[in-house]
């Protein structure tokens, strides 16, 4: 089946023969409410009073339709009309998204017990509404053992062994990418066979990728892996999710399974003998962000993905890790006698995973399991690295899940020596703090392989204190590498280069949390340094952007100064 088959045969535009007036009126109301502005705010992770109001209005409307038993097809038609009239995307994209999600949305909202206020509070945090439901206001119990004295991370001697760890994130392979296709198609995703040839040379997709809404060509992914193999000695790989392309209106279960196995085989082929430790992204399901709790059975069960992920990644994981992978798509594995790696299914914190509205209480008992893993590691004197897709402080992570995770990390700050995420496609980080605003931990957000959102293809290599008795397993430095798309497409050949070393570029004495905190403070007074960081944020991309100053600069720094989603309290204190 090709991309064109899916788009022409499976996506049908809802009928427009009946009920034209009401949908048009709703579209006009949403236009007045600046719905398009809200969509843009969602993309950049900003919560505003307008966003909260639009959320409550939209949820109230949807609940009214469901409670009055309005036919599912009529609701779908209204949703399509709003999307198309406001030009949130093309008609075929609007139609495809509505057709894919209508059954699931109707099923969830028939069973949802929350009012509009609480729904938006669950999704957007306390700034929108206070949460009272015990299904969404919960606390994971920590262990009864007191927190031991904090262990300061000492820098190792130069002669002591180091480990080199490759971090790949947001691969987003597009098997239908076509050089010369229309890269300016005005849709959610372009550069594909189905987009047809470009009307002008300037609109043509490049050979190695494109800064516009386009994903990774197969040749670029394979060239990157060949370069890595030829250039670096890698001990193991962290692969933090999002395998399929961004054609979210067009996904099918067979295609998602095919891509999962295809990209897993590609990594195994180009990195023979190198262990790969994957984490699940929010694009891996047959419907983006749709990850029902393990107890959901029947037509909406996602057990099929549990099984396929276990098959695809079982080549790298021991049987002990495959059990929890099959049950909840998370696992733990020993990297060496002193280091345990934990891969989390961050879709259980995903605020766009609407299944969480039914019950967000520790889905899959993942955080309870995490506490047990960390306590066991503490008893054994092991250190832990955690990987996942959605960063815990990102606005796409449910506030209640994020707050629980934050407590867990601060309790086990001397055990957790590294956190690695993706999802944003940007090169950034999140700092954790205790109640006294002492920095306790750091979550690294690795740059993306995909160019989607106007960035260069990138990967990162961490230098970690090596596997010897008494090792700290701390991250000592990281180096980021990139491919300049403009140059590659002009020359016809890719040239991968090192972008920067964190310690050298930012003059850090170490990568300990206090050093990252001091860097964020320096950004406030040293704009030249911040602008250098801002260039790295987008992987040294040539895609035109306005300089990040004023409110943009403050929001960028604030985003990194808390790993609690939808919580600006630490940042507000910093800015006083």
């Amino acid at each position: 089946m090709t991309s064109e088959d899916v788009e022409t045969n499976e996506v049908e535009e809802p009928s427009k023969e009946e009920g034209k007036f009401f949908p048009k009126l709703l579209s006009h109301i949403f236009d007045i409410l600046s719905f398009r502005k809200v969509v843009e705010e969602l993309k950049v992770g900003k919560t505003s009073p307008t966003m909260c109001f639009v959320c409550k209005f939209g949820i109230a409307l949807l609940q009214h339709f469901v409670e009055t038993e309005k036919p599912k097809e009529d609701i779908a038609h209204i949703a399509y009309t709003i999307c198309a009239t406001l030009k949130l995307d093309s008609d075929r994209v609007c139609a495809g998204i509505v057709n894919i999600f209508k059954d699931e949305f109707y099923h969830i909202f028939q069973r949802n017990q929350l009012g509009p206020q609480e729904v938006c509070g669950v999704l957007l945090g306390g700034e929108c509404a206070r949460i009272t439901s015990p299904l969404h206001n919960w606390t994971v119990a920590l262990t009864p053992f007191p927190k031991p004295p904090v262990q300061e991370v000492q820098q190792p001697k130069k002669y002591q062994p180091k480990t080199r760890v490759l971090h790949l994130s947001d691969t987003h392979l597009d098997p239908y990418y076509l050089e010369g296709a229309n890269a300016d198609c005005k849709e959610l995703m372009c550069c594909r066979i189905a987009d047809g040839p470009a009307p002008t040379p300037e609109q043509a997709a490049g050979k190695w990728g494109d800064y516009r809404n386009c994903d990774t060509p197969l040749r670029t992914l394979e060239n990157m892996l060949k370069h890595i193999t030829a250039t670096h000695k890698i001990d193991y790989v962290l692969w933090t999710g999002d395998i399929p392309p961004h054609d979210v209106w067009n996904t099918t279960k067979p295609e998602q399974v095919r891509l999962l196995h295809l990209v897993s085989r590609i990594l195994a082929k180009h990195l023979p003998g190198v262990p790969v430790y994957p984490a699940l992204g929010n694009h891996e399901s047959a419907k983006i962000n749709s990850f029902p709790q393990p107890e959901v059975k029947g037509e909406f069960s996602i057990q099929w993905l549990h099984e396929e992920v276990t098959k695809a990644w079982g080549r790298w994981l021991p049987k002990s890790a495959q059990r929890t992978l099959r049950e909840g798509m998370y696992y733990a594995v020993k990297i060496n006698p002193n280091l345990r790696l934990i891969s989390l299914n961050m879709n259980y914190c995903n605020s766009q995973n609407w299944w969480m509205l039914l019950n967000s209480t520790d889905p899959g008992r993942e955080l309870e399991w995490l506490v047990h893993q960390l306590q066991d590691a503490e008893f054994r004197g092991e250190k832990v690295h955690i990987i996942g897709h959605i960063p815990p402080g990102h606005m796409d992570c449910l506030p209640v899940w994020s707050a629980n995770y934050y407590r867990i990390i601060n309790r086990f700050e001397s055990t957790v020596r590294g956190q690695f995420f993706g999802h944003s496609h940007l090169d950034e980080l999140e700092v954790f703090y205790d109640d006294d605003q002492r920095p306790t931990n750091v979550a690294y957000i690795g740059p993306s392989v995909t160019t989607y959102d106007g960035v260069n293809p990138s990967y990162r290599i961490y230098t970690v204190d090596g596997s010897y008795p008494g090792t700290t397993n701390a991250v000592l430095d990281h180096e980021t590498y990139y491919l300049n798309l403009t140059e590659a497409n002009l020359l016809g050949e890719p040239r991968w280069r090192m972008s920067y070393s964190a310690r050298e570029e930012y003059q850090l004495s170490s990568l300990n949390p206090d050093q990252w905190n001091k860097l964020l403070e320096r950004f406030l007074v040293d704009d030249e340094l911040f602008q250098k960081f801002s260039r790295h944020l987008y992987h040294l991309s040539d895609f035109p952007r306005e300089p990040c100053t004023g409110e943009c600069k403050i929001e960028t720094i604030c985003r990194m100064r808390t790993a609690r989603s939808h919580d600006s309290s630490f940042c507000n204190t910093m800015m006083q």
Side-chain angles (χ1 to χ4, degrees), residues 162-165 461-465 474-479:
K162 312 293 189 299
T163 301
R164 299 278 283 173
V165 181
I461 296 177
Y462 298 93
T463 301
V464 177
D465 193 10
V475 177
L476 304 176
D477 198 5
H478 69 64
E479 300 163 358

Side-chain angles (χ1 to χ4, degrees), residues 356-367:
M356 297 300 105
L357 290 179
L358 300 182
N359 184 357
S360 69
T361 306
D362 194 14
R365 301 177 70 177
E366 180 177 38
L367 291 181

Side-chain angles (χ1 to χ4, degrees), residues 386-443:
I386 297 174
I387 66 173
H389 182 63
I390 300 173
H394 195 279
M395 61 90 60
D396 286 346
C397 188
L398 288 169
V400 65
W401 197 101
S402 176
N404 274 281
Y405 180 81
Y406 201 95
R407 287 175 53 251
I408 294 168
I409 294 300
N410 278 342
R411 161 61 182 84
F412 293 98
E413 70 167 287
S414 295
T415 297
V416 178
R417 284 290 163 80
Q419 300 177 69
F420 311 91
F421 298 90
H423 186 61
S424 74
H425 297 191
L426 304 181
D427 179 348
E428 49 188 346
L429 60 118
E430 294 173 354
V431 180
F432 291 66
Y433 299 84
D434 66 12
D435 291 340
D436 297 323
Q437 296 199 31
R438 177 182 62 86
T440 62
N441 225 292
V442 176

Side-chain angles (χ1 to χ4, degrees), residues 201-428:
E202 292 74 22
Q203 293 171 290
K207 178 178 180 179
W208 298 99
D210 201 284
Y211 287 132
R212 287 160 286 195
N213 289 351
C214 305
D215 273 321
T216 310
L218 177 60
R219 65 167 64 92
T220 305
L221 175 62
E222 294 208 287
N223 184 273
M224 179 191 72
L225 294 172
K226 289 176 183 176
H227 166 80
I228 290 170
T229 301
T231 310
H232 308 287
K233 181 186 180 302
I234 301 298
D235 292 289
Y236 59 91
V237 181
L238 309 177
W239 183 24
T240 52
D242 272 8
I243 298 168
H246 284 83
D247 59 339
V248 299
W249 72 94
N250 199 31
T251 53
T252 65
K253 190 182 296 184
E255 182 72 353
Q256 298 295 84
V257 170
R258 185 179 80 86
L259 288 169
L260 167 68
H261 288 282
L262 172 62
V263 181
S264 298
R265 285 196 304 270
I266 289 172
L267 262 64
K269 168 189 169 185
H270 288 282
L271 298 164
V274 179
V276 177
Y277 301 110
L280 195 72
N282 64 304
H283 277 257
E284 267 74 285
S285 181
K287 295 187 272 290
I288 183 177
N289 300 317
S290 176
F291 294 85
Q293 297 88 337
E295 59 267 24
V296 174
K297 307 299 181 184
E299 96 178 90
F300 295 109
S301 170
I302 201 170
Q303 190 60 39
W304 63 271
L305 185 57
H306 292 227
E307 298 296 335
E308 294 298 338
V309 161
T310 306
K311 291 177 190 174
W313 299 345
R315 55 168 58 89
W316 297 303
L317 302 176
K319 295 293 184 183
S320 58
Q322 293 180 39
R323 182 184 63 80
T324 53
L325 183 63
R326 181 174 281 107
E327 292 173 358
M329 294 188 280
Y330 53 82
Y331 64 88
V333 64
K334 291 287 285 289
I335 300 292
N336 61 54
N338 305 304
L339 179 63
R340 184 180 311 202
L341 183 134
I342 293 175
S343 176
L344 295 178
N345 178 2
M346 297 301 288
N347 291 293
Y348 291 151
C349 92
N350 187 351
S351 60
Q352 298 182 52
N353 180 8
W354 291 79
W355 289 97
M356 297 300 105
L357 290 179
L358 300 182
N359 184 357
S360 69
T361 306
D362 194 14
R365 301 177 70 177
E366 180 177 38
L367 291 181
E368 178 186 325
W369 170 85
L370 174 63
V371 170
H372 290 318
Q373 286 286 328
L374 293 176
Q375 185 63 74
D376 184 59
E378 182 179 275
F379 284 151
R380 296 173 185 271
E382 299 172 5
K383 302 306 177 186
V384 171
H385 287 178
I386 297 174
I387 66 173
H389 182 63
I390 300 173
H394 195 279
M395 61 90 60
D396 286 346
C397 188
L398 288 169
V400 65
W401 197 101
S402 176
N404 274 281
Y405 180 81
Y406 201 95
R407 287 175 53 251
I408 294 168
I409 294 300
N410 278 342
R411 161 61 182 84
F412 293 98
E413 70 167 287
S414 295
T415 297
V416 178
R417 284 290 163 80
Q419 300 177 69
F420 311 91
F421 298 90
H423 186 61
S424 74
H425 297 191
L426 304 181
D427 179 348
E428 49 188 346

Side-chain angles (χ1 to χ4, degrees), residues 475-518:
V475 177
L476 304 176
D477 198 5
H478 69 64
E479 300 163 358
T480 303
Y481 296 79
Y482 76 107
L483 171 67
N484 183 280
L485 269 186
T486 306
E487 179 187 76
N489 287 333
L490 283 174
L491 299 179
E493 292 295 331
R495 296 180 181 176
W496 296 88
R497 296 185 176 92
M498 180 173 162
S499 172
Y500 72 104
S501 149
R503 288 187 63 169
E504 290 180 8
E505 190 78 338
Y506 301 124
Q507 301 174 7
L508 303 172
S509 61
S510 72
L511 296 198
N512 293 347
D514 66 307
Q515 291 298 302
W516 285 112
N517 178 60
K518 288 177 182 177

Side-chain angles (χ1 to χ4, degrees), residues 12-16 18-20 22-28 30 35 39 58 61-62 65 70-103 105-106 109:
E12 297 180 1
E13 182 179 318
S15 170
K16 298 182 181 179
E18 297 178 357
K20 293 183 179 179
F22 188 52
K24 294 289 185 182
L25 176 63
L26 285 178
S27 299
H28 182 60
F30 273 115
F35 191 67
V39 171
L61 196 64
L62 179 57
F65 290 153
K70 194 171 187 66
K72 179 170 54 180
E73 295 302 325
D74 288 0
I75 299 175
H77 171 51
I78 291 170
Y80 164 78
T81 304
I82 293 171
C83 179
T85 304
L86 290 179
K87 300 188 184 304
L88 298 179
D89 218 295
S90 71
D91 287 359
R92 71 167 177 164
V93 172
C94 289
I97 290 175
V98 169
N99 282 339
I100 284 176
F101 283 97
K102 63 184 179 183
D103 292 339
F105 268 56
Y106 197 79
F109 276 91

